[in-house]
Amino acid sequence: MLQNKTALVTGSTSGIGLGIAKALAKQGANLILNGFGDYAAAKAEVEAAGAAFGIKVGYSGADMSKPADIEAMMREATTAFGGVDILVNNAGIQYVSPVESFPAEKWDAVIAINLSSAFHTTRLAIPAMRAKNWGRIINIASAHGLVASANKTAYVAAKHGIVGLTKSVALEVATTGITVNAICPGWVLTPLVQKQIDDRAANEKITVEQATKDLLGEKEPSLQFTTTEQLGELAVFMCSPAADNIRGVAWAADGGWTAQ
Ligand code: NAD
């Protein structure tokens, strides 16, 4: 049960972030949502998930590539919710290209959104967590935080980076009630992955069904997508007392991808 806790989930208007926000809301946590697109629909889903507890749901449109936006979001979280108890660094983008033709501005955007944003939210969230001697920081890395694929240099660098950030911060707060861990999903069928499937179908002149099968078959021994609900439950576990001494792990939820 997470009543009287406030969770901030970056990039929670869609996909994995929305799934985690709903799972935390179901446990009674208040939620601060963030991300682009239809935030009203996401807010309604999260409010419904937490209806039994009458949770409070806020929203910040902060752009995770902009440190000043992140600072403003964290200040608003303190004013409106008294700080962040559970920080889920989830916002992320993908860009696929061989390194020789990888646009420099795409590199900068992937590193800023997928990695540097987590540094900024973390440094700003920890003082209030230390004061309460309780906190959870959950970084959504990827199987690509543990192993690489070609043509995803910025993403793989950012995800390996966030696994390193996770371990380092976990050590800094190891004697406190704050834990810091990473979740490393394999394929999850969200808009971020649907685009890669659609691009693959178009490039290879195959059906979307075939492209989906090929995508899973190439990397994921289970031949199944991890679901946003499963990742939400994993995040809930990481917030539970059973996980009080789980610190600095990069927990794969990848159908066996990184066991190979
Ligand atoms: P998604 O595209 O469905 O959602 C991404 C979210 O991030 C959206 O809410 C979007 O608005 C938000 N976002 C993007 N740029 C932003 C910015 N500059 N500022 C604020 N918010 C921004 O993607 P997803 O698949 O749910 O991915 C979520 C996270 O999970 C990412 O970090 C991704 O790398 C990671 N991940 C995804 C998969 C997968 O298979 N889908 C696998 C492993 C890891």
Side-chain angles (χ1 to χ4, degrees), residues 11 13-16 36 63-64 90 141 155 159 185-186 188 190-193:
T13 49
S14 167
I16 295 170
F36 302 144
D63 181 338
M64 289 300 109
N90 166 80
Y155 189 86
K159 294 301 186 183
V188 185
T190 66
L192 182 140
V193 164

Side-chain angles (χ1 to χ4, degrees), residues 17-101:
L18 179 56
I20 291 177
K22 286 197 282 188
L24 297 175
K26 256 189 212 163
Q27 300 299 320
N30 295 319
L31 256 301
I32 303 169
L33 305 179
N34 159 257
F36 302 144
D38 187 358
Y39 80 87
K43 191 163 182 265
E45 282 189 48
V46 174
E47 275 166 353
F53 296 97
I55 65 163
K56 188 170 156 190
V57 183
Y59 168 75
S60 163
D63 181 338
M64 289 300 109
S65 70
K66 298 188 173 142
D69 275 23
I70 297 172
E71 286 172 6
M73 175 178 78
M74 298 305 284
R75 273 196 305 272
E76 285 161 27
T78 303
T79 317
F81 288 83
V84 173
D85 304 294
I86 299 164
L87 169 64
V88 182
N89 289 307
N90 166 80
I93 58 168
Q94 177 61 283
Y95 194 83
V96 180
S97 163
V99 69
E100 316 87 285
S101 51

Side-chain angles (χ1 to χ4, degrees), residues 31-242:
L31 256 301
I32 303 169
L33 305 179
N34 159 257
F36 302 144
D38 187 358
Y39 80 87
K43 191 163 182 265
E45 282 189 48
V46 174
E47 275 166 353
F53 296 97
I55 65 163
K56 188 170 156 190
V57 183
Y59 168 75
S60 163
D63 181 338
M64 289 300 109
S65 70
K66 298 188 173 142
D69 275 23
I70 297 172
E71 286 172 6
M73 175 178 78
M74 298 305 284
R75 273 196 305 272
E76 285 161 27
T78 303
T79 317
F81 288 83
V84 173
D85 304 294
I86 299 164
L87 169 64
V88 182
N89 289 307
N90 166 80
I93 58 168
Q94 177 61 283
Y95 194 83
V96 180
S97 163
V99 69
E100 316 87 285
S101 51
F102 209 98
E105 66 277 12
K106 292 291 182 194
W107 170 275
D108 288 343
V110 172
I111 299 296
I113 297 166
N114 297 21
L115 176 58
S116 301
S117 70
F119 158 69
H120 293 296
T121 54
T122 298
R123 71 181 170 82
L124 295 165
I126 281 189
M129 291 179 176
R130 277 196 194 273
K132 294 180 190 171
N133 197 32
W134 195 91
R136 293 290 188 260
I137 300 178
I138 301 173
N139 294 323
I140 306 307
S142 167
H144 283 122
L146 303 169
V147 295
S149 294
N151 301 326
K152 293 185 175 176
T153 43
Y155 189 86
V156 170
K159 294 301 186 183
H160 275 66
I162 204 165
V163 169
L165 175 73
T166 302
K167 292 179 187 174
S168 202
V169 180
L171 295 181
E172 290 185 29
V173 295
T175 58
T176 75
I178 308 166
T179 70
V180 188
N181 292 294
I183 294 177
C184 298
W187 293 122
V188 185
L189 194 55
T190 66
L192 182 140
V193 164
Q194 190 62 53
K195 181 178 181 307
Q196 294 175 61
I197 293 172
D198 294 346
D199 288 350
R200 187 178 186 136
N203 290 339
E204 296 177 16
K205 299 187 176 28
I206 54 176
T207 63
V208 169
E209 291 69 31
Q210 190 57 47
T212 306
K213 263 193 187 163
D214 293 351
L215 179 111
L216 284 170
E218 201 172 74
K219 300 283 188 187
E220 202 145 319
S222 67
L223 304 177
Q224 288 173 41
F225 289 104
T226 301
T227 68
T228 60
E229 290 79 9
Q230 289 164 346
L231 295 173
E233 291 305 316
L234 182 51
V236 167
F237 169 70
M238 285 181 166
C239 292
S240 74

